[in-house]
Amino acid sequence: MSMKKFALKLSVAAVALIGLQTSSYAVDSVSVEAGAGSKVQMLRLGAQWDWKNTAWWQSNGTHIGGYWDLTVAEWHEKRYNNTDSSKNFTDIGFTPVFRFQRDDKKGFYGEAGIGVHLFSSLYNNDTKKLSTAFQFGDHLGTGYVFANGLDIGLKLQHFSNGGIKQPNGGVNFAVLKAAYRF
């Protein structure tokens, strides 16, 4: 896929996510994430909905809350089929995320999530194969939310099909996230 087509796909996805803001189920934040793993890269757009009025384990001005994360990503395999050729594919994901944060949702946080993803094609890159388009994606992350709503975070993310079908080599990413909270 050319860079022009990729930019067009991301633009359409961004407009769709912004359009969700006008509905009665308004988006609470939007995000852009860039990730890298072993000979693979990912660029992801997301929309998040807070679990409003949900706070577990409240103590000293902090609590565990969370949000729903709906994402669309484009992956770039650099060693497709163990050759020097490359391949792009799309990933759509939905993840419930638990977050340990201050009650005002500003400052430092830690989070963890396990969600489901659907790939547009099978992953086969640099000796790693995932034999199903359905994948689980789990992550651990940390970050900081500024007073203006800007959220900068870093997370480690793992994808696998949970042993549904072999081979299931798994794919790991380091992901940098920038989000804006409305």
Side-chain angles (χ1 to χ4, degrees):
M1 176 185 306
S2 72
M3 206 52 163
K4 194 178 208 180
K5 285 183 182 178
F6 178 64
L8 179 62
K9 270 186 176 182
L10 285 179
S11 297
V12 168
V15 168
L17 290 174
I18 290 168
L20 289 173
Q21 183 61 24
T22 61
S23 74
S24 60
Y25 299 101
V27 172
D28 294 303
S29 63
V30 292
S31 62
V32 175
E33 299 177 340
S38 178
K39 301 196 176 37
V40 61
Q41 296 172 324
M42 169 184 52
L43 184 59
R44 180 165 52 203
L45 295 176
Q48 297 79 36
W49 291 263
D50 281 346
W51 299 344
K52 301 201 182 345
N53 303 319
T54 303
W56 297 289
W57 191 83
Q58 288 186 286
S59 176
N60 297 324
T62 62
H63 70 279
I64 296 174
Y67 61 92
W68 301 107
D69 191 21
L70 178 63
T71 60
V72 61
E74 193 73 13
W75 290 36
H76 179 72
E77 299 172 274
K78 294 181 179 181
R79 296 247 328 132
Y80 176 67
N81 210 17
N82 297 321
T83 66
D84 286 333
S85 61
S86 63
K87 180 180 176 184
N88 290 351
F89 69 89
T90 304
D91 160 28
I92 296 172
F94 183 71
T95 305
V97 179
F98 293 90
R99 184 178 271 193
F100 176 72
Q101 59 197 348
R102 289 184 358 197
D103 288 342
D104 66 1
K105 298 183 180 178
K106 305 292 185 207
F108 287 104
Y109 65 84
E111 67 179 30
I114 299 175
V116 293
H117 293 259
L118 185 61
F119 293 173
S120 63
S121 67
L122 299 182
Y123 183 85
N124 183 0
N125 186 52
D126 194 38
T127 73
K128 297 277 184 166
K129 290 183 181 182
L130 298 174
S131 58
T132 60
F134 175 81
Q135 298 291 318
F136 295 102
D138 52 65
H139 78 267
L140 290 174
T142 187
Y144 189 88
V145 179
F146 294 90
N148 65 0
L150 179 64
D151 176 344
I152 302 295
L154 179 64
K155 59 185 169 183
L156 301 176
Q157 187 158 27
H158 174 76
F159 291 89
S160 80
N161 67 25
I164 294 171
K165 185 177 178 185
Q166 296 299 323
N168 183 32
V171 180
N172 298 311
F173 283 96
V175 180
L176 182 60
K177 170 181 155 183
Y180 181 75
R181 186 175 175 78
F182 300 111

